[in-house]
Amino acid sequence: MIIPWQQLEAATLNNLIEYYVLREGTDYGEQEISLAEKVTQVRAQLQAGEVVLVFSELHETVNLMSKQQFNEQ
């Protein structure tokens, strides 16, 4: 189930994004990108509708995933 990110408190949304960014551990290339910048990038993707917040009833967890990935499930 998609959770509308606009309905979350700002601090809760920020914590979810930070957790996602820290958990991903992805390589951003030659230049290091700060946590704040990564959070800003993910927030922009949420606002653009490229990324969605998903609640898993089975696992009782919240996750961020690309809209395409969500639609493929």
Side-chain angles (χ1 to χ4, degrees), residues 26-43:
T26 55
D27 183 10
Y28 287 85
E30 292 182 22
Q31 294 182 335
E32 282 294 316
I33 298 175
S34 70
L35 175 61
E37 182 61 29
K38 292 174 189 176
V39 168
T40 299
Q41 290 175 356
V42 173
R43 186 182 309 275

Side-chain angles (χ1 to χ4, degrees), residues 11-28:
T12 301
L13 179 61
N14 194 64
N15 288 338
L16 285 170
I17 294 172
E18 281 186 7
Y19 175 75
Y20 172 77
V21 168
L22 291 171
R23 184 188 67 202
E24 286 301 305
T26 55
D27 183 10
Y28 287 85

Side-chain angles (χ1 to χ4, degrees), residues 7 9 12 14 22 31-32 38 51 54 64 69 73:
Q7 294 180 2
E9 292 186 25
T12 301
N14 194 64
L22 291 171
Q31 294 182 335
E32 282 294 316
K38 292 174 189 176
V51 171
V54 180
L64 287 148
Q69 183 182 16
Q73 288 187 345

